[in-house]
């Protein structure tokens, strides 16, 4: 992957998957803006790769436009955006719904992806096209019983990516998602003892999948990442259409 002279922005870039992806992008020649709520940790990673650190809450509607503007101004262009920041719910969301926790997980896991893509598109157009990858989850492809809120947010990211991608492909902007299974990152630190001998991905495994998506992903593809398997696009089944073959404008029932 050659990103020499390119500008990149990674949210949630101070640790875990985000930090591993920052290092990959920088190794490929990109200048990288590392965005994270933990400004000190973001600065450590940014200094390591010669990038810049950006602080703030990505769930804030004003934060992603500011991050994009700062990165584009610093690098002269923006070519790659990794919308990676995410949180867990800490509640099932079925019987123990906590409103503040619900608003928080939706804000970070869903709103930030929407705000981030909307903010990035004009900058990517100015660069002549680019790549956007959202970190979803295996929970965006299959239900995770007991974690309904997290499942909901990651399904939303997958649906958003699949619907947004065809709209932007004509501008040379390719939008994808990566959907990792359980990864050994700070996100599951408290629950890690429960996994026992269950195989976990490393942050580097997921960063490698992100690199593969950036290199050869097709618009709208959502790649699964699982231990011991090569990352690949998930094969969605087409929904059945109405009898007679009628199709609404812009919708393909065979789409996968």
């Amino acid at each position: 992957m050659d990103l020499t002279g390119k500008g990149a922005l990674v949210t949630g870039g101070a640790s875990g998957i985000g930090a591993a992806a920052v290092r990959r992008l920088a190794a490929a020649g990109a200048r990288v803006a590392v965005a994270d709520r933990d400004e000190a940790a973001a600065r450590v990673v940014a200094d390591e790769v010669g990038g810049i650190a950006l602080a703030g809450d990505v769930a804030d509607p004003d934060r992603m436009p500011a991050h994009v503007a700062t990165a584009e101004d610093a690098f002269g262009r923006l070519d790659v955006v990794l919308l990676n920041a995410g949180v867990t719910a800490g509640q099932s969301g079925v019987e123990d719904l906590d409103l503040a926790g619900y608003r928080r997980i939706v804000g970070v896991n869903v709103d930030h992806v929407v705000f981030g893509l909307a903010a990035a598109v004009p900058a990517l157009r100015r660069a002549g096209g680019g790549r956007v990858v959202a970190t979803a989850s295996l929970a965006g492809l299959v239900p995770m019983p007991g974690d309904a809120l997290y499942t909901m947010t990651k399904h939303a990211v997958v649906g958003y990516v699949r619907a947004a991608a065809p709209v932007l492909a004509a501008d040379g902007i390719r939008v994808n998602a990566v959907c990792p299974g359980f990864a050994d990152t700070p996100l599951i630190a408290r629950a890690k003892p429960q996994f026992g001998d269950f195989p976990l991905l490393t942050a580097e495994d997921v960063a490698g999948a992100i690199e593969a998506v950036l290199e050869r992903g097709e618009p709208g593809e959502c790649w699964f990442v699982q231990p011991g398997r090569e990352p690949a696009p998930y094969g969605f089944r087409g929904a059945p259409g109405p009898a007679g073959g009628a199709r609404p404008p812009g919708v393909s029932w065979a789409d996968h």
Side-chain angles (χ1 to χ4, degrees), residues 31-208:
R31 299 179 66 192
V32 189
V34 182
D36 204 281
R37 289 189 77 189
D38 187 338
E39 184 176 7
R43 194 168 302 282
V44 169
V45 176
D47 288 347
E48 176 188 334
V49 300
I52 61 173
L54 304 174
D57 184 354
V58 293
D60 180 342
D62 297 325
R63 184 53 51 190
M64 286 310 300
H67 282 347
V68 167
T70 301
E72 186 182 23
D73 183 63
F75 305 144
R77 59 186 296 134
L78 187 62
D79 304 270
V80 177
V81 177
L82 174 57
L83 300 171
N84 170 74
V87 296
T88 56
Q91 57 176 318
S92 74
V94 178
E95 296 181 19
D96 60 343
L97 183 63
D98 171 74
L99 183 57
Y102 170 71
R103 295 297 184 201
R104 180 64 186 159
I105 192 172
V106 172
V108 176
N109 290 8
V110 181
D111 292 350
H112 130 259
V113 174
V114 176
F115 300 155
L117 182 61
V121 165
L124 296 174
R125 284 188 176 131
R126 286 190 288 271
R131 304 287 182 264
V132 179
V133 179
T135 302
S137 166
L138 193 67
L141 305 176
V142 297
M144 295 290 184
D147 212 343
L149 291 183
Y150 188 76
T151 297
M152 178 195 74
T153 62
K154 295 305 183 177
H155 269 67
V157 170
V158 166
Y160 183 66
V161 163
R162 296 183 70 208
V167 178
L168 297 172
D171 292 329
I173 299 172
R174 194 172 68 206
V175 184
N176 295 101
V178 289
C179 302
F182 294 107
D184 188 3
T185 69
L187 204 64
I188 68 160
R190 292 182 181 178
K192 187 178 177 181
Q194 301 175 21
F195 286 90
D197 295 329
F198 186 86
L200 298 174
L201 294 162
T202 66
E204 189 59 34
D205 290 333
V206 184

Side-chain angles (χ1 to χ4, degrees), residues 8-38:
L9 168 63
V10 178
T11 65
S15 64
I17 293 166
V22 166
R23 296 183 182 105
R24 287 243 178 182
L25 293 170
R31 299 179 66 192
V32 189
V34 182
D36 204 281
R37 289 189 77 189
D38 187 338

